[in-house]
Amino acid sequence: MTVLYINGSNRKENCSKILNDLKNQDDKLIELADKSINYCLGCNTCRNDLKEYCVIEDDMQEIYEEILKADKIVVATPIYMNHITGLLKNVIDRFNPFSWHDDLLKGKTIYLITVGQMNEEENKNIAINIKEYFESIGEFMGFKTIFLKNFTSGDIETIDNVTKMYGDYEQIIQKLKEKIKKI
Ligand SMILES: Cc1cc2nc3c(=O)[nH]c(=O)nc-3n(C[C@H](O)[C@H](O)[C@H](O)COP(=O)(O)O)c2cc1C
């Protein structure tokens, strides 16, 4: 079973830490912050072209390959202005080839993690919106969405100082690992 991890943040902090703690040594982690990804041109060349997923020659080509290899994809995104980051939305727009060829993502599962500075309860509806957004595109692209957890960034930033929280965090990571393995 191949699991791909994608960090939708513009930096390598909270989401990066969570994904690094979740992943096994051999699993691939893509940090979108390291990638150069252009906007979808809306040319719809991908509609008819089964082989080249997108005409734009940028780092998205590598991401397509990694996504197609993976059975499970774990995506972590910071909450930005009550939604996913623009960086991640840009990548989702580049999923356009998958909407024309819905067999490509069929049977895959996208696991979602959100991280915001507001607490889990305050961001509850935002997390639900993000989950529903992925579910809605999954409907026509053929992938299933499982929401893993809505973290509060403070939980993670204070890990090294607060032993109790560290214990909680470790337990959470362990549970999420099991969930990714099982479902
Ligand atoms: C432009 C911007 C918008 C943000 N909007 C929200 C928000 O709407 N709700 C929230 O809880 N946190 C918001 N945050 C805080 C981030 O979600 C938080 O810092 C998160 O930890 C970032 O993840 P990272 O550390 O992996 O980059 C925002 C941060 C930035 C820079």
Side-chain angles (χ1 to χ4, degrees):
M1 180 193 64
T2 321
V3 187
L4 172 68
Y5 292 80
I6 299 178
N7 179 11
S9 180
N10 305 324
R11 56 185 201 167
K12 295 175 194 171
E13 297 209 17
N14 294 269
C15 290
S16 187
K17 171 163 178 57
I18 294 167
L19 294 182
N20 273 295
D21 291 343
L22 277 177
K23 79 184 212 26
N24 292 323
Q25 222 176 358
D26 299 337
D27 292 328
K28 173 111 183 161
L29 165 61
I30 295 176
E31 294 277 1
L32 294 186
D34 289 340
K35 304 295 174 192
S36 169
I37 301 163
N38 292 286
Y39 295 117
C40 171
L41 296 170
C43 66
N44 280 330
T45 307
C46 56
R47 180 175 187 168
N48 303 316
D49 198 332
L50 274 165
K51 247 182 156 195
E52 302 296 325
Y53 307 116
C54 178
V55 292
I56 308 171
E57 288 296 333
D58 62 6
D59 290 342
M60 195 61 206
Q61 297 298 335
E62 174 210 333
I63 298 177
Y64 289 133
E65 294 300 330
E66 293 297 337
I67 287 174
L68 291 174
K69 268 194 274 172
D71 304 305
K72 300 179 172 191
I73 302 150
V74 181
V75 176
T77 180
I79 296 174
Y80 270 18
M81 306 300 170
N82 292 346
H83 208 341
I84 62 175
T85 58
L87 186 56
L88 180 59
K89 177 62 168 61
N90 192 22
V91 167
I92 304 292
D93 290 349
R94 295 285 300 278
F95 273 27
N96 203 26
F98 301 140
S99 67
W100 300 120
H101 312 297
D102 59 3
D103 53 314
L104 293 176
L105 294 190
K106 212 172 190 170
K108 295 188 191 288
T109 305
I110 294 189
Y111 297 81
L112 274 182
I113 291 168
T114 53
V115 183
Q117 73 184 21
M118 296 207 287
N119 71 40
E120 198 168 0
E121 185 54 33
E122 285 168 326
N123 266 335
K124 194 176 159 194
N125 289 333
I126 305 303
I128 291 171
N129 286 345
I130 293 173
K131 171 179 166 271
E132 288 178 348
Y133 164 64
F134 273 82
E135 282 170 348
S136 68
I137 52 173
E139 262 173 41
F140 62 85
M141 290 190 199
F143 66 81
K144 185 172 151 194
T145 302
I146 293 178
F147 192 86
L148 285 181
K149 187 169 164 63
N150 168 23
F151 282 89
T152 306
S153 47
D155 290 351
I156 302 151
E157 277 153 10
T158 53
I159 272 171
D160 293 334
N161 303 327
V162 186
T163 321
K164 181 179 165 288
M165 227 170 223
Y166 187 79
D168 289 345
Y169 173 79
E170 284 283 275
Q171 275 177 9
I172 291 166
I173 291 293
Q174 214 36 55
K175 274 192 193 148
L176 296 184
K177 271 187 184 180
E178 282 159 25
K179 204 167 172 183
I180 294 166
K181 220 190 283 169
K182 246 193 257 162
I183 318 176

